[in-house]
Each structure stands twice: as structure tokens, then as C-alpha cells.
């Protein structure tokens, strides 16, 4: 089991550019979550999917953020246009419904918008 | 509205001593609580959990205590080891873990050799 795989590990982009973060969840996991880590707010949930369907996107900060899960093995988080305040570490996580051990997180994507 | 709060951003403890990390929550619907540990450049990893039907859960050097009336939980690590230096996140969920996790802001624990 390769775990949750995120790419890229680091992304530096200029303000106004489009950024796409990618995630491959663990095979067989029903849920996929996108979190953002900042010093002020810790780990905040942006959106999560159940069986590829978005369930709760109330944490998405604004319309510049969008997420998709076209199939059970792939999800993207897109920011268009990006702004310096979007700089953070973005984590993807997945879990099986029956699990009592919470989520398995990927290693994160560190996004820097200059 | 921070529903899960970790009021100590950092904590330093001597190796061999007890480390106590605290967490408070405001949502009375939370009934399942977890602690995650995070090393630099890695994702958080599950450490220990507790259901609201218990007030204590122990796993080796790690013990989590839950005080429902005070809406407070704590993680005790004893004895503390250098490898315990990391950021610790408290998380809470409703419906016994079947709902989304809400995380705190984290506490950076440093174990001093």
C-alpha cells in the first residue's frame, strides 16, 4: 500500500496563475478530504467527497477554489486565480467508512504564491 | 469559529518526564476524539483515539483523558522521548467518527535531551 499520494510536493507560482494540486487516495477508501494547514487556523477542511461525490464544500474559501473527483483513484484541487494569501500546505486524506482510526494523510503540497 | 482549540502553541519537556497536551472543544455533538502527530514535511499520522463513552484510553506510553462535562481532553506521554518531538493535533468528530474531523491548531512539542 503506497498510501495517499500527492503531487507536486512543492509549488511556487506567481499571483494570478492557475494552480492544480493532485491526489491519489488509498485504493478501497470511500472518503477523500482536502485540508489546508496554516499557522492561524491549523488544519481546516476545505471539501470532502464520498464515493466520488462532493458532500461538503462549505470550507472552500471562495469561488477561486474548486475540487473534482472524476473517479475513485484521483482528485484535484484547483485555485484560479491564485493569490499570495493562498500560500499554505494543502493535505489530501482518505479513509474507509468502517475505520475508527480517522484519516490517512498524504505528505502535502507546499504552495507558495508570490 | 474554532470548535476545537489547542491554546498552547508550543511546549518543551525534559526527556523522561511527562508531556501533557491539552485540547478544548465547544461542539457538544462531538463524540469521538483523536490525536494526530505530525513531523516536518510529512502528513499527520493517527496516534490515539477515544470515544465519548470512555474517559480514558491507553496505548503504551500514550494516554488520552476525556472530561465531557468540561469539554476537555488531554494527551499524556510518559516517559517523553526525543522522537516525540513533533506537532500534535487534536481532532473531533460527531457520530462516533463517521462524520468529518475538525482539527485544532496544533501544539509543537519539543523534548529536550
Amino acid at each position: 500500500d503506497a498510501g495517499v499520494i500527492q503531487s507536486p510536493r512543492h509549488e511556487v507560482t506567481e499571483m494570478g496563475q492557475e494552480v492544480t494540486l493532485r491526489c491519489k487516495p488509498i485504493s478501497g477508501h470511500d472518503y477523500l478530504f482536502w485540508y489546508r494547514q496554516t499557522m492561524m487556523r491549523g488544519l481546516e477542511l476545505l471539501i470532502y467527497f464520498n464515493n466520488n461525490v462532493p458532500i461538503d464544500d462549505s470550507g472552500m474559501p471562495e469561488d477561486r477554489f474548486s475540487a473534482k473527483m472524476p473517479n475513485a483513484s484521483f482528485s484535484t484541487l484547483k485555485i484560479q486565480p491564485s493569490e499570495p494569501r493562498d500560500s499554505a500546505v494543502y493535505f489530501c486524506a482518505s479513509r474507509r467508512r468502517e475505520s475508527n482510526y480517522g484519516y490517512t494523510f498524504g505528505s502535502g503540497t507546499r504552495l507558495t504564491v508570490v | 469559529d474554532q470548535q476545537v482549540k489547542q491554546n498552547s502553541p508550543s511546549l518543551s519537556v525534559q526527556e523522561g518526564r511527562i508531556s501533557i497536551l491539552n485540547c478544548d472543544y465547544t461542539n457538544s455533538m462531538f463524540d469521538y476524539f483523536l490525536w494526530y502527530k505530525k513531523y516536518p514535511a510529512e502528513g499527520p499520522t493517527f496516534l490515539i483515539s477515544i470515544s465519548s463513552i470512555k474517559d480514558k484510553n491507553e496505548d503504551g506510553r500514550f494516554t488520552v483523558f476525556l472530561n465531557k462535562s468540561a469539554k476537555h481532553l488531554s494527551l499524556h506521554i510518559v516517559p517523553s522521548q526525543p522522537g516525540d518531538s513533533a506537532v500534535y493535533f487534536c481532532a473531533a468528530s460527531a457520530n462516533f467518527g463517521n462524520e468529518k474531523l475538525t482539527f485544532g491548531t496544533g501544539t509543537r512539542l519539543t523534548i529536550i535531551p
Side-chain angles (χ1 to χ4, degrees):
Chain A
D1 185 353
V4 176
I5 300 172
Q6 291 187 245
S7 63
R9 288 298 306 271
H10 302 275
E11 177 80 40
V12 180
T13 190
E14 291 186 348
M15 183 174 62
Q17 296 297 306
E18 176 180 297
V19 176
T20 300
L21 311 181
R22 297 173 176 80
C23 175
K24 177 179 169 57
I26 293 174
S27 177
H29 280 197
D30 308 291
Y31 289 85
L32 183 139
F33 305 83
W34 282 101
Y35 278 84
R36 178 170 67 176
Q37 182 189 5
T38 61
M39 289 295 292
M40 291 299 296
R41 301 180 67 83
L43 282 165
E44 53 178 337
L45 177 66
L46 300 177
I47 185 171
Y48 77 96
F49 297 83
N50 177 214
N51 292 325
N52 314 339
V53 176
I55 303 300
D56 183 351
D57 65 354
S58 59
M60 297 286 258
E62 41 196 280
D63 292 345
R64 297 184 298 105
F65 285 69
S66 63
K68 294 181 180 180
M69 191 166 186
N71 56 62
S73 60
F74 184 66
S75 177
T76 59
L77 177 68
K78 185 176 294 186
I79 308 172
Q80 165 65 19
S82 57
E83 297 182 2
R85 60 190 166 127
D86 301 331
S87 298
V89 182
Y90 291 80
F91 288 100
C92 176
S94 68
R95 62 165 279 196
R96 285 186 301 112
R97 181 171 181 80
E98 305 82 23
S99 171
N100 286 325
Y101 299 101
Y103 309 164
T104 300
F105 280 85
S107 298
T109 295
R110 180 173 294 277
L111 173 64
T112 303
V113 183
V114 297
Chain B
D1 176 27
Q2 197 76 21
Q3 297 185 63
V4 178
K5 301 176 184 178
Q6 295 176 256
N7 293 319
S8 298
S10 63
L11 175 68
S12 294
V13 175
Q14 288 280 350
E15 181 179 358
R17 301 281 193 138
I18 184 171
S19 296
I20 300 176
L21 294 89
N22 294 303
C23 177
D24 297 293
Y25 62 97
T26 58
N27 189 338
S28 57
M29 299 300 292
F30 290 150
D31 54 18
Y32 194 71
F33 305 89
L34 307 90
W35 285 93
Y36 280 76
K37 178 179 181 178
K38 184 186 177 306
Y39 291 120
E42 296 182 10
T45 56
F46 170 78
L47 187 58
I48 193 170
S49 63
I50 188 168
S51 165
S52 59
I53 61 175
K54 296 184 176 181
D55 54 18
K56 176 183 175 181
N57 188 27
E58 194 171 350
D59 183 3
R61 297 186 297 113
F62 302 91
T63 303
V64 56
F65 295 91
L66 175 62
N67 182 333
K68 290 186 290 293
S69 60
K71 293 190 174 66
H72 176 84
L73 64 156
S74 60
L75 174 68
H76 292 211
I77 306 172
V78 55
S80 300
Q81 299 175 354
D84 297 330
S85 294
V87 176
Y88 289 79
F89 288 97
C90 172
S93 175
N95 196 17
F96 291 101
N98 287 318
E99 300 295 333
K100 62 186 179 183
L101 290 180
T102 300
F103 285 84
T105 51
T107 296
R108 180 178 300 278
L109 175 65
T110 302
I111 304 303
I112 304 166

